[in-house]
């Protein structure tokens, strides 16, 4: 019977350890996979909602509202998320360095873009307000042309208790609410019902509560609607909810930072694994 020498047994043990040892941490790999997979499914849901909303629109598409259409915004955001998370998901599962680098670079680009926008918005507040004002004006002009846009505007005005961008007379930008004498609309000089302040004890919403309000002075209009513009109300809301705004910003940034760090760690480990084999 042949007996193995201690040195031969040591060599076999070292070889067995070399075959089972891996530089890639499975916890990092699978955590990144499930992290990416979760947001990948979420991106599909966003795209599905956007497509459904777009298909279900009863009115024809107005070309000028394409970039302020909530359905289009959802589709674009969902597609970008789908591409990024798909690279992270498959890259982690297959230990593919190219896909992981694409995931890390894309996520870094999105994060930096958000950071730059936030910084520019803070230091150039007047220009930011002007840009948002143009967006809001377009939304008011096409208020009746897009049901999703109309619902979004109504939600904003209800939540911030405001009317228009600078004030309630901004609704003259809209064809139906325009307050000129030449306007034949039955809603002439009116504002949407979402501008109206609620009446205590009233269970049914009076959709005509804003009729003729634009002809009234500020103090008189204040009795039935919220006459302040959404620009000032939004600033006031942010100043009084700084903790919530900070928490939301942190909640948005942390998953992105985690994805970037984990993908870079996994890339480094895979490269070490390749180097050890070579």
């Amino acid at each position: 019977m042949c007996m193995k020498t201690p040195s031969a047994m040591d060599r076999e043990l070292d070889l067995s350890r070399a075959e089972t040892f891996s530089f890639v941490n499975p916890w990092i790999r699978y955590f990144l996979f499930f992290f990416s997979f979760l947001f990948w499914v979420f991106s599909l849901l966003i795209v599905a909602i956007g497509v459904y909303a777009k298909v279900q629109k009863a009115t024809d598409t107005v070309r000028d509202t394409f970039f302020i259409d909530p359905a289009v915004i959802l589709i674009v955001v969902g597609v970008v998320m789908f591409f990024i998370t798909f690279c992270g998901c498959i890259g982690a599962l297959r230990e593919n360095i190219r896909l992981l680098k694409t995931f890390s670079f894309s996520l870094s680009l999105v994060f930096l873009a958000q950071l730059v926008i936030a910084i520019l918005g803070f230091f150039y507040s007047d220009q930011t307000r002007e840009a948002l004002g143009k967006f809001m004006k377009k939304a008011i002009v096409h208020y009746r042309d897009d049901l999703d846009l109309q619902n979004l505007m109504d939600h904003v005005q209800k939540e911030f208790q405001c009317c228009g961008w600078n004030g309630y007379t901004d609704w003259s930008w809209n064809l139906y609410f325009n307050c000129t004498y030449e306007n034949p609309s039955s809603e002439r000089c009116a504002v949407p019902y979402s501008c109206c302040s609620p009446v205590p004890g009233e269970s049914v919403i009076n959709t005509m509560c804003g009729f003729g309000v634009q002809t009234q002075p500020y103090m008189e209009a204040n009795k039935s609607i919220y006459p302040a513009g959404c620009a000032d109300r939004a600033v006031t809301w942010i100043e009084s909810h700084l903790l919530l705004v900070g928490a939301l910003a942190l909640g948005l940034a942390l998953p992105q930072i985690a994805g970037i760090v984990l993908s870079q760690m996994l890339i480094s480990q895979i490269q070490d694994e390749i180097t050890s084999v070579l």
Side-chain angles (χ1 to χ4, degrees), residues 57-132:
K57 287 183 185 294
T59 57
D60 294 330
T61 304
V62 180
R63 295 290 180 266
D64 199 33
T65 65
F66 183 80
F67 293 106
I68 58 173
D69 187 343
V72 172
I73 294 173
L74 283 176
I75 293 171
V76 171
V77 171
V79 168
V80 172
M81 279 185 63
F82 175 86
F83 169 75
I84 295 174
T85 53
F86 177 81
C87 290
C89 189
I90 303 302
L93 184 65
R94 304 293 298 176
E95 296 184 9
N96 188 303
I97 292 180
R98 188 168 297 176
L99 285 176
L100 286 171
K101 284 184 176 179
T102 303
F103 171 75
S104 180
F105 175 77
S106 301
L107 206 56
S108 300
L109 202 62
V110 171
F111 178 75
L112 288 175
Q114 292 172 349
L115 190 62
V116 168
I117 291 172
I119 293 172
L120 291 177
F122 179 79
F123 286 104
Y124 298 94
S125 56
D126 292 338
Q127 290 85 343
T128 302
R129 177 167 177 155
E130 184 180 348
L132 289 174

Side-chain angles (χ1 to χ4, degrees), residues 26-277:
W27 288 102
I28 294 177
R29 178 189 174 193
Y30 287 112
F31 185 82
L32 182 60
F33 168 74
F34 286 115
F35 172 84
S36 301
F37 181 76
L38 180 66
F39 282 94
W40 180 68
V41 173
F42 184 60
S43 69
L44 286 176
L45 181 62
I46 292 176
V47 172
I49 293 172
V51 171
Y52 177 80
K54 195 68 179 172
V55 170
Q56 291 297 316
K57 287 183 185 294
T59 57
D60 294 330
T61 304
V62 180
R63 295 290 180 266
D64 199 33
T65 65
F66 183 80
F67 293 106
I68 58 173
D69 187 343
V72 172
I73 294 173
L74 283 176
I75 293 171
V76 171
V77 171
V79 168
V80 172
M81 279 185 63
F82 175 86
F83 169 75
I84 295 174
T85 53
F86 177 81
C87 290
C89 189
I90 303 302
L93 184 65
R94 304 293 298 176
E95 296 184 9
N96 188 303
I97 292 180
R98 188 168 297 176
L99 285 176
L100 286 171
K101 284 184 176 179
T102 303
F103 171 75
S104 180
F105 175 77
S106 301
L107 206 56
S108 300
L109 202 62
V110 171
F111 178 75
L112 288 175
Q114 292 172 349
L115 190 62
V116 168
I117 291 172
I119 293 172
L120 291 177
F122 179 79
F123 286 104
Y124 298 94
S125 56
D126 292 338
Q127 290 85 343
T128 302
R129 177 167 177 155
E130 184 180 348
L132 289 174
K134 291 179 181 178
F135 179 89
M136 192 74 167
K137 181 176 181 178
K138 187 174 288 188
I140 290 174
V141 169
H142 298 288
Y143 176 77
R144 292 295 192 201
D145 302 329
D146 190 312
L147 185 59
D148 291 331
L149 184 62
Q150 180 176 321
N151 291 333
L152 178 62
M153 285 291 298
D154 287 337
H155 178 74
V156 169
Q157 292 192 146
K158 286 178 183 177
E159 287 299 314
F160 289 107
Q161 298 182 349
C162 57
C163 192
W165 179 244
N166 298 303
Y168 63 104
T169 55
D170 286 350
W171 281 99
S172 272
W173 294 335
N174 186 275
L175 178 66
Y176 300 93
F177 299 119
N178 186 273
C179 208
T180 57
Y181 290 105
E182 296 79 13
N183 184 13
S185 172
S186 60
E187 295 180 301
R188 175 180 168 272
C189 294
V191 295
Y193 77 96
S194 54
C195 290
C196 299
S197 52
V199 178
E202 187 180 72
S203 57
V204 180
I205 298 174
N206 179 14
T207 56
M208 300 178 66
C209 59
F211 276 47
V213 169
Q214 290 189 55
T215 60
Q216 300 173 3
Y218 188 93
M219 295 305 296
E220 185 68 23
N222 191 41
K223 296 177 181 178
S224 56
I225 67 167
Y226 298 113
C230 292
D232 294 330
R233 294 294 297 174
V235 171
T236 303
W237 186 91
I238 291 172
E239 288 176 348
S240 59
H241 296 82
L242 287 176
L243 187 62
L244 177 61
V245 173
L248 289 173
L250 189 63
L252 184 64
L254 281 180
Q256 298 177 59
I257 295 172
I260 295 168
V261 172
L262 288 173
S263 60
Q264 287 298 323
M265 290 174 65
L266 189 56
I267 289 169
S268 178
Q269 291 176 359
I270 295 171
Q271 288 174 336
D272 289 341
E273 183 81 11
I274 295 171
T275 304
S276 68
V277 173

